[in-house]
Amino acid sequence: MSDETSKGERLQKVLARVGFGSRRSCEQLILDGKVKVNGQQAQLGSRVEVESDLVTVDGAPIGVRPDLVYYLLNKPAGVVTTADDPQGRPTVIEMVPEDPRVFPVGRLDSDTEGLLILTNNGELTHRLTHPSFGVEKEYVAVVEGKPSRSSLRLLREGVDLEDGKTAPAKIALIEQETIRLTIHEGKNRQVRRMCSTVGHPVKRLIRTRIGPLSDRSLPPGSWRELTTAEIRSLEKSVADSD
Ligand code: URA
């Protein structure tokens, strides 16, 4: 815990973000003496480093509130990200526990594989999907043909799509016909359209990272709960800068 002048985030802001109500009601929680940082009574104006300080409300560490759940799913191809599919295809919602009801954070095309977060934390969902927070998403795309250096440069600098030019991206050719793309926008079918536009349609697309989250050992079709440290680092990746 540190004082007003140091680094970190204001405690009431952190509490509001993880779901303890408005900033005002979080201030009240602090004033009521319900919040501790590293075992010590918190003060209004305290700042915390969410990754290293232990914040508790009524004795329960934040980030492990029992009513909030966070799943990381390795979505296989052929599964849709919507809650219901008119064509009767399997949905990501059916792949994780039913209760409490969770929602996918953003969407992957039915053909796209890889990491998807599902949660009932609406504020975190909003932040992770809103373009203003610019969370990085990393994809591995197997494409038709070997992209030339100029195609890779185009992908890197921005591709003109019908709904606008894409922002600069991190691009690496990792095998003959395999590209790693790191983007921070969420245009519809963005990676597929970017690659097609430069002449290399995508044959297979896998999301391998969302912000700080990756997991190479989660088998396709499996899910697991996020750890408290992962929840905190996700929260941090979408924190307001103040
Ligand atoms: N880009 C795509 O083209 N599809 C996805 O599912 C995600 C990103």
Side-chain angles (χ1 to χ4, degrees), residues 44-114:
L44 213 54
S46 298
R47 284 178 175 262
V48 289
E49 295 275 3
V50 282
E51 277 169 331
S52 50
D53 288 324
L54 176 66
V55 179
T56 58
V57 176
D58 283 334
I62 65 164
V64 289
R65 281 185 48 199
D67 56 327
L68 294 180
V69 296
Y70 305 84
Y71 304 129
L72 184 66
L73 171 72
N74 186 350
K75 182 183 114 41
V79 176
V80 295
T81 311
T82 46
D84 284 306
D85 183 47
Q87 296 170 43
R89 290 172 293 184
T91 73
V92 292
I93 303 292
E94 294 160 9
M95 304 194 78
V96 295
E98 233 179 305
D99 189 30
R101 183 111 172 100
V102 291
F103 298 91
V105 177
R107 62 183 293 280
L108 291 176
D109 305 329
S110 100
D111 289 351
T112 304
E113 304 159 55

Side-chain angles (χ1 to χ4, degrees), residues 39-192:
Q40 308 224 329
Q41 194 81 52
Q43 310 294 327
L44 213 54
S46 298
R47 284 178 175 262
V48 289
E49 295 275 3
V50 282
E51 277 169 331
S52 50
D53 288 324
L54 176 66
V55 179
T56 58
V57 176
D58 283 334
I62 65 164
V64 289
R65 281 185 48 199
D67 56 327
L68 294 180
V69 296
Y70 305 84
Y71 304 129
L72 184 66
L73 171 72
N74 186 350
K75 182 183 114 41
V79 176
V80 295
T81 311
T82 46
D84 284 306
D85 183 47
Q87 296 170 43
R89 290 172 293 184
T91 73
V92 292
I93 303 292
E94 294 160 9
M95 304 194 78
V96 295
E98 233 179 305
D99 189 30
R101 183 111 172 100
V102 291
F103 298 91
V105 177
R107 62 183 293 280
L108 291 176
D109 305 329
S110 100
D111 289 351
T112 304
E113 304 159 55
L115 300 182
L116 182 74
I117 300 169
L118 296 105
T119 180
N120 55 354
N121 183 336
E123 176 60 23
L124 182 65
T125 301
H126 168 73
R127 286 169 178 257
L128 288 172
T129 49
H130 198 280
S132 65
F133 290 96
V135 175
E136 277 194 348
K137 274 139 318 205
E138 182 186 278
Y139 296 87
V140 170
V142 181
V143 297
E144 286 178 19
K146 181 183 173 192
S148 62
R149 285 168 68 151
S150 65
S151 303
L152 296 173
R153 184 167 359 100
L154 268 175
L155 290 171
R156 198 170 287 129
E157 290 175 356
V159 178
D160 280 316
L161 302 179
E162 59 198 12
D163 48 349
K165 189 172 173 181
T166 59
K170 292 183 204 155
I171 305 291
L173 188 68
I174 53 177
E175 274 173 43
Q176 285 284 323
E177 300 189 350
T178 307
I179 314 172
R180 184 187 299 119
L181 305 94
T182 309
I183 62 173
H184 52 83
E185 303 168 287
K187 294 182 194 289
N188 191 30
R189 297 180 74 81
Q190 179 163 340
V191 173
R192 292 176 195 277

Side-chain angles (χ1 to χ4, degrees), residues 11-22:
L11 185 54
Q12 60 267 36
K13 227 169 165 183
V14 173
L15 294 173
R17 197 173 66 233
V18 300
F20 283 93
S22 67

Side-chain angles (χ1 to χ4, degrees), residues 25-44:
S25 46
C26 293
E27 285 172 8
Q28 196 59 48
L29 283 176
I30 300 169
L31 291 171
D32 291 345
K34 297 190 167 173
V35 186
K36 289 187 175 170
V37 180
N38 303 326
Q40 308 224 329
Q41 194 81 52
Q43 310 294 327
L44 213 54

